[in-house]
Amino acid sequence: MKTSIINNPADAALEITAGRIVALPTETVYGLAADALNPSAVLKIYETKKRPDFNPLIVHVSGIEEFEKYAEIIPESVFKIAETYSPGPITYVLNKNSVIPDIVTAGIDTVALRIPAHPLFRQVLTMCGKPIAAPSANMFGRISPTTAEDVLKELDGKIGYVLDGGRCRIGIESTVVRFEDDKIIILRHGFVTKEDIEKVTGKEVTTLKGKASKISSPGMLLSHYSPHTPLYIAEDLEYFKNVNANAGIVDFGVYRDLKETALNLFSDLRIADEKNFNYLVTRLVENKGLGRAINDRLVKASSGRAVVENGSVLFSKK
Ligand code: TXA
Ligand code: MG
């Protein structure tokens, strides 16, 4: 199959309506989209990405008024967060009703709903009149794409079209938040931070760690967002600047702030990955606010590989 980059959202909407999959831009990363109410179209997403069938997909809708079509109970906190952050990079995990097919949610009883902000994605939603299921448009485990060209590097020959919406303005995925009784739990850190959510809801927000997060958000695997070149996390990049090995240094310290780091995170990893280094080295950012989402991606991209200052391997999963 030849993959073409297109510019007209109407062509993308036609693809989705016809039960095919197409890559669409969002403000976070590019998504691989299908009609969420069409199980055979959704199956194509899993097959194309080689995504494990236990990992549920996010369903994108045009506005908060759509939530009651697909979710059972919508807590007040959801509306409070949405007032400020939707449309935008936040995903609400709510108890599902039977309208969304089981394949979308990998058989679990919750559904992840997001209202994307990208104008082209919003036009496609309006033209289709259907909820759209879309994971990031990368092969499973790989770096998320933030341009149409990145999507081609991942999926060329596997899909018909990529709708070009330019470079994603955020560059890191949405925050995935579970609402359970009165509790608010972050399942995946993203652009909207724990502090942002606490501020608008006036409630404490918790984060799942370790085993609990695997059960509640099955997609949270240790190895993810990975370059082909092994990525190590070091405490001090200076050491590697002087080592005469073919090491690619990915230094996010060059950016002015965490937003700029998030914007360049996946593209810098992808560029370094294309340069034939023996390995890549990076360091974590300060672990607060948006830094949590950035560090989460870096740790997963390194599959748990870390080194101490003098270059010796502290812990390696592989
Ligand atoms: O910014 C984003 O969220 C992008 C754009 C395309 O919208 N999408 C994205 O999708 O990052 P994906 O599939 O790469 O990541 C979705 C995450 C996975 O970790 C998945 O396990 C989790 O959301 N998720 C989806 N449905 C869930 C559910 N019902 N319960 C818990 N976690 C869920
Ligand atoms: Mg993904």
Side-chain angles (χ1 to χ4, degrees):
M1 188 190 299
K2 187 179 157 347
T3 307
S4 309
I5 293 186
I6 56 174
N7 296 296
N8 186 351
D11 293 334
L14 274 179
E15 287 295 294
I16 291 179
T17 308
R20 290 187 287 269
I21 58 175
V22 60
L24 298 181
T26 87
E27 68 281 19
T28 58
V29 300
Y30 274 71
L32 184 58
D35 173 356
L37 301 182
N38 180 340
S40 67
V42 173
L43 177 64
K44 290 176 194 162
I45 294 179
Y46 286 92
E47 288 174 349
T48 304
K49 279 192 62 149
K50 299 208 190 314
R51 183 183 179 101
D53 61 8
F54 56 80
N55 192 353
L57 307 177
I58 294 175
V59 175
H60 301 72
V61 297
S62 54
I64 190 106
E65 63 285 353
E66 300 265 303
F67 280 24
E68 62 184 30
K69 291 189 191 165
Y70 312 114
E72 285 288 353
I73 303 160
I74 304 152
E76 201 42 46
S77 298
V78 170
F79 295 100
K80 285 193 180 149
I81 299 168
E83 252 174 56
T84 307
Y85 294 108
S86 293
I90 185 148
T91 298
Y92 308 87
V93 175
L94 300 167
N95 291 345
K96 81 186 272 287
N97 63 24
S98 57
V99 178
I100 298 290
D102 282 343
I103 185 170
V104 174
T105 60
I108 61 178
D109 56 10
T110 55
V111 60
L113 296 173
R114 169 156 123 75
I115 306 163
H118 196 293
L120 287 183
F121 200 118
R122 297 187 62 76
Q123 284 181 47
V124 175
L125 275 169
T126 309
M127 288 167 177
C128 294
K130 295 274 180 59
I132 293 180
S136 49
N138 48 275
M139 293 303 286
F140 175 70
R142 287 269 303 148
I143 303 170
S144 308
T146 54
T147 63
E149 292 74 26
D150 287 354
V151 176
L152 278 191
K153 285 174 190 159
E154 292 288 323
L155 299 173
D156 196 12
K158 296 192 165 77
I159 57 175
Y161 302 99
V162 183
L163 180 62
D164 192 350
R167 188 169 180 206
C168 301
R169 70 175 162 82
I170 288 178
I172 195 166
E173 292 89 345
S174 65
T175 310
V176 179
V177 190
R178 169 81 174 117
F179 297 83
E180 215 173 74
D181 306 324
D182 212 25
K183 287 190 299 238
I184 307 177
I185 309 155
I186 292 185
L187 301 179
R188 175 179 73 184
H189 288 292
F191 190 74
V192 178
T193 65
K194 178 177 184 297
E195 292 80 2
D196 291 337
I197 299 171
E198 287 178 339
K199 200 168 169 197
V200 293
T201 59
K203 288 189 177 168
E204 196 199 336
V205 174
T206 55
T207 306
L208 284 185
K209 292 210 177 76
K211 271 192 184 145
S213 69
K214 261 182 213 148
I215 295 161
S216 296
S217 199
M220 306 276 123
L221 308 170
L222 177 61
S223 176
H224 223 112
Y225 313 106
S226 299
H228 293 300
T229 321
L231 173 72
Y232 287 84
I233 292 174
E235 285 183 15
D236 180 8
L237 292 180
E238 288 307 313
Y239 170 85
F240 290 92
K241 290 182 181 158
N242 303 315
V243 176
N244 199 8
N246 185 25
I249 300 190
V250 189
D251 185 4
F252 295 106
V254 300
Y255 295 115
R256 274 178 307 188
D257 56 23
L258 293 175
K259 284 189 179 167
E260 205 176 280
T261 302
L263 177 64
N264 291 287
L265 180 73
F266 291 131
S267 51
D268 281 5
L269 286 174
R270 191 177 285 280
I271 289 165
D273 196 22
E274 287 166 1
K275 286 191 175 152
N276 288 318
F277 290 114
N278 289 343
Y279 59 95
L280 305 177
V281 193
T282 192
R283 72 176 154 204
L284 299 182
V285 299
E286 198 188 347
N287 205 43
K288 63 177 198 198
L290 181 53
R292 290 195 201 93
I294 293 167
N295 287 343
D296 165 75
R297 305 306 187 274
L298 289 175
V299 168
K300 285 178 182 144
S302 77
S303 312
R305 294 182 202 95
V307 291
V308 288
E309 234 164 285
N310 65 4
S312 61
V313 175
L314 183 67
F315 166 70
S316 178
K317 223 191 132 246
K318 285 191 174 165

